[in-house]
Every structure is written in C-alpha cells, then in structure tokens.
Amino acid sequence: MKTTVGTHKLPGYGSTLRTSRRLTEQAVKLVSRSVSGRMPDVEVVLTNERGMAELMVAADIALVGAADRRALKRATQESKRIARGAQARAIPRLDGSTLILINADKHPTPADFAVTLVHELVHAMQFSRKGVLERIVRDTRDGLGIERQSRRQAREHEQLVELDENEAHSREYLAEKLVPGARAAA
C-alpha cells in the first residue's frame, strides 16, 4: 500500500501540503484498521474547483476506456457540475488504486480536512471489495452514454452507493483521533 499526496494547480500551499501528508499517513492507518476491505494504493491530490473538474474528467475517461467526443463532452459537463458542490471525490482506477481529489479551498482548517479525508479513505477501502469496481465502471459507462445498463442494475447501484455513503459517514468519528475537535468542525 503506497500513499502519495500532492497538489494540482495550487501554488503557495506548502504548509497545507505538509499538514495533508502528515494527516493522510495517520488516517490511512486508522481507516484500514476500522473498515473491512484492503487499503489500495492511494493518491491524494489537493486542488481547486477547476482542477478537480479537470482531474475528474481524466479519471473517468481512464476508467471507462476509449470514449468518443460526445462521451468526453458529457464527462466534462458532469465533472464541472460535481466539482461546484463537492468537497472531495474518491475515484477508483483500473489498476486497483484510488485517486482522492480534495478541494483545498473548502477546507480552511486541518479538522475539516481530516473529516473529509477519513470519509474518502473509507470509499477507497470500499472500492477493493468484490464487484464494486465493475459496478462503478458499468455505471460510469452508462452515465457517459457509452453502454446502457438495465434499470435493475441502476437501482441496485444507487442503493449500494447510499449504503457506502452511510458507512463512510459513520466512520467520520475517526477524524477526532487525528485532530482533536474534528468532529465538532464537521
């Protein structure tokens, strides 16, 4: 399990990057002990809204394979929409690793960052479970108009996403161990 932390189009955030590296190292250990599954290689990227949208498009296209112009346009529009409201997003990769994008502008304190980081690391653990990557690829291909999935598959995916979100929210208390008072900041 290899963990890297970096920035994308975010100059002048050196102290934030150092704090992020320290918190990520500790959070990976906490989450891997608390959640079932296997912690994959994780790449955490601190960026802004525009950078998030850019990296989400690249990650989604890499996840689904070759895509035509129409799928690329859909991916760009969807990524911009998601990036406007998202604090962070975890995206699985075909090699089994996970990309975690974090909007640094929406995390003014280490406590805010710790809560979001723990939440996204739980998702990274979930991606390692049997059948999850295939389900996400199928749903992403459907969302980009590449390959349709059945209504039953779409419903099942939505239900499982909700269960995964509930599990991630239930583990956010672990951020308290990283930064005292982090739960109150959430």
Side-chain angles (χ1 to χ4, degrees):
M1 161 185 64
K2 183 176 140 195
T3 306
T4 57
V5 180
T7 60
H8 175 73
K9 294 188 176 182
L10 209 61
Y13 278 76
S15 64
T16 303
L17 183 59
R18 284 188 293 279
T19 302
S20 301
R21 283 187 177 133
R22 181 179 51 81
L23 289 175
T24 300
E25 185 179 305
Q26 296 168 356
V28 164
K29 292 175 187 171
L30 277 174
V31 172
S32 61
R33 285 191 301 249
S34 174
V35 179
S36 67
R38 180 188 55 79
M39 182 63 78
D41 291 344
V42 176
E43 180 182 1
V44 177
V45 178
L46 300 171
T47 187
N48 54 23
E49 184 179 314
R50 181 176 285 169
M52 254 183 102
E54 208 175 278
L55 292 172
M56 280 192 285
V57 169
D60 283 345
I61 295 300
L63 187 64
V64 299
D68 59 0
R69 244 189 273 159
R70 196 175 54 202
L72 184 60
K73 184 177 178 182
R74 276 188 182 175
T76 303
Q77 290 171 343
E78 182 69 12
S79 294
K80 285 180 181 178
R81 185 186 65 74
I82 291 171
R84 262 185 246 118
Q87 292 184 14
R89 181 159 181 227
I91 304 169
R93 292 179 169 158
L94 291 177
D95 65 359
S97 65
T98 300
L99 173 65
I100 297 177
L101 304 173
I102 298 180
N103 188 338
D105 296 336
K106 293 189 178 183
H107 297 87
T109 66
D112 295 330
F113 178 79
V115 171
T116 299
L117 181 63
V118 165
H119 182 98
E120 299 304 325
L121 285 171
V122 170
H123 288 313
M125 293 284 285
Q126 292 165 345
F127 296 155
S128 71
R129 295 177 185 162
K130 185 177 179 180
V132 174
L133 179 61
E134 293 79 16
R135 178 174 46 90
I136 291 171
V137 169
R138 184 180 62 229
D139 188 67
T140 304
R141 290 179 70 81
D142 180 54
L144 297 180
I146 297 171
E147 183 180 338
R148 302 279 306 165
Q149 67 179 337
S150 70
R151 287 186 181 142
R152 185 178 136 269
Q153 290 171 327
R155 260 192 323 272
E156 177 186 332
H157 176 73
E158 288 301 318
Q159 290 169 347
L160 293 172
V161 165
E162 192 166 324
L163 288 174
D164 289 347
E165 279 299 319
N166 290 339
E167 181 183 15
H169 284 298
S170 74
R171 293 299 196 280
E172 287 178 358
Y173 73 90
L174 294 171
E176 176 74 30
K177 294 179 182 178
L178 297 172
V179 179
R183 190 70 174 139

